[in-house]
Amino acid sequence: MPTAVPVYFSRYISTRTGAGQGGRGPARPPRRGGPGAAAAVEAGRALCPSCPCPRAGLGGLFVLTRGGAMAARQALKAVLVDLNGTLHVEDSAVPGAQEALKRLRRAPVTIRFVTNTTKESKRDLLERLTRLGFDIAENEIFTSLTAARNLLEQKQVRPLLLVDDKALPDFTGIGTDDPNAVVVGLAPEHFHYEMMNRAFRLILDGAPLIAIHKARYFKKKDGLSLGPGPFVTGLEYATDTKAMVVGKPEKTFFLEALRGTGCVPEEAVMIGDDCRDDVGGAQEAGMRGILVRTGKYRPADEDKINPAPYLTCESFPEAVEHILQRML
């Protein structure tokens, strides 16, 4: 199958004709070097003359191969959904998210929930989601904690765990005596000089530095807060080493999340509030990415990645509406 670059017609049409219905539609027209934007639009109309595509354009139906040919995009079979910032913010659900999830479940797609959270175990996270009214099964959740544990077992190392105490149950059975590796998640109570210096010395002595993720910041009820990324970067700088990252936006994380779904990345879409870790990572893995303006979203975030998001929506319910109306 040819390597494909998404062709996003609607923004081109919107900027030239004033069409579109608010929001930032699929990302950008064909780049210089392929057929011209106008020619691409005409080619798409010829291939799908009855497609109304008022908002999503033909981007959801066709791709432009690197050789310049039009090809049908594979049908959508899986939806990956971020949790904190997309479905909820701490103990508050995003308005309408529960009902939107119910609607999405009635569609012929597999749903997986993917999260970088290291503030709590998967069991505690599931209990929180259940209290908020979300119908989610434990086996539908794939966390960066799970990915980190898998790596520790694979490498057979004993980690110094810089994670929140509530996340420790996900590492039950992993030996931590006489550590020979350093694992960093979000652990505000551990990010003090003594502990960071202990991690620093272990890494200098050859211990691998494993970052559960490197998010710059995350959303709390009282505002944005520092994520583990700045602390991981500080250890990298001090030890002149590079961390192994296991969570989003790593391609392996997204591929692992799809395992068991029977889907390839081109048949999946990711919905999230983090332009880099959710949308950028998913699109690098071959999926489409929908950015929502909830959680940690900041104005103009969609301009921070290239290619830009397939679509930017106000919230998860709007993203679900787009999927149901334009991508199935």
Side-chain angles (χ1 to χ4, degrees):
M1 181 173 180
T3 302
V5 179
V7 178
Y8 301 117
F9 295 95
S10 67
R11 181 178 293 180
Y12 177 81
I13 297 171
S14 296
T15 56
R16 296 304 178 100
T17 68
Q21 302 175 13
R24 295 176 69 98
R28 54 185 60 187
R31 295 180 180 177
R32 185 178 302 172
V41 172
E42 291 305 317
R45 286 174 178 162
L47 285 168
C48 185
S50 62
C51 181
C53 302
R55 182 165 186 175
L58 300 175
L61 300 177
F62 297 99
V63 293
L64 180 69
T65 68
R66 297 193 187 279
M70 298 295 294
R73 183 186 288 280
Q74 291 176 267
L76 183 68
K77 295 182 180 178
V79 180
L80 303 188
V81 183
D82 175 52
L83 291 173
N84 190 50
T86 301
L87 288 187
H88 69 103
V89 175
E90 295 186 319
D91 288 323
S92 298
V94 168
Q98 298 98 324
E99 184 58 35
L101 179 57
K102 291 178 182 178
R103 294 185 64 209
L104 185 60
R105 285 200 181 280
R106 292 194 288 268
V109 294
T110 298
I111 304 173
R112 290 289 182 269
F113 302 91
V114 293
T115 177
N116 268 349
T117 186
T118 60
K119 302 188 297 295
E120 56 194 344
S121 66
K122 182 189 288 190
R123 182 179 59 190
D124 290 343
L125 174 60
L126 181 60
E127 289 177 358
R128 180 198 297 265
L129 293 167
T130 300
R131 287 196 305 270
L132 292 175
F134 291 104
D135 180 19
I136 295 174
E138 185 174 355
N139 63 4
E140 292 179 310
I141 302 175
F142 185 69
T143 77
S144 54
L145 291 174
T146 302
R149 182 190 176 100
N150 292 344
L151 181 63
L152 293 174
E153 292 176 335
Q154 174 189 334
K155 290 187 168 294
Q156 298 184 337
V157 292
R158 304 176 303 278
L160 172 66
L161 289 170
L162 300 186
V163 300
D164 194 291
D165 290 346
K166 294 179 180 178
L168 291 177
D170 282 4
F171 294 96
T172 299
I174 298 290
T176 57
D177 294 335
D178 189 23
N180 59 359
V182 175
V183 174
V184 183
L186 182 62
E189 70 277 12
H190 296 312
F191 289 154
H192 53 78
Y193 185 84
E194 181 180 351
M195 185 61 77
M196 295 297 288
N197 201 46
R198 185 184 178 194
F200 163 73
R201 290 176 176 177
L202 282 170
I203 297 167
L204 282 184
D205 288 340
L209 173 59
I210 300 171
I212 298 181
H213 63 93
K214 291 181 71 175
R216 294 166 169 83
Y217 48 84
F218 67 102
K219 178 69 172 181
K220 296 179 66 175
K221 286 183 179 179
D222 60 356
L224 295 177
S225 299
L226 279 176
F231 300 94
V232 174
T233 301
L235 288 171
E236 288 179 321
Y237 174 76
T239 60
D240 195 25
T241 191
K242 194 73 174 174
M244 290 180 285
V245 182
V246 297
K248 297 179 290 185
E250 294 302 300
K251 180 178 180 179
T252 52
F253 178 87
F254 289 101
L255 296 180
E256 188 69 16
L258 282 180
R259 183 194 292 186
T261 66
C263 304
V264 296
E266 291 77 13
E267 297 170 327
V269 64
M270 171 75 204
I271 307 173
D273 66 319
D274 189 313
C275 65
R276 296 183 180 93
D277 290 356
D278 292 332
V279 176
Q283 293 189 159
E284 285 294 322
M287 305 177 191
R288 282 167 282 182
I290 298 179
L291 180 65
V292 291
R293 295 192 182 100
T294 54
K296 69 192 299 183
Y297 173 84
R298 304 277 288 172
D301 270 358
E302 50 267 68
D303 298 325
K304 294 178 181 178
I305 59 173
N306 185 21
Y310 160 75
L311 187 71
T312 298
C313 292
E314 289 302 316
S315 64
F316 176 71
E318 185 176 312
V320 169
E321 181 67 20
H322 174 86
I323 290 171
L324 297 178
Q325 296 297 323
R326 302 294 176 196
M327 299 181 73
L328 298 177

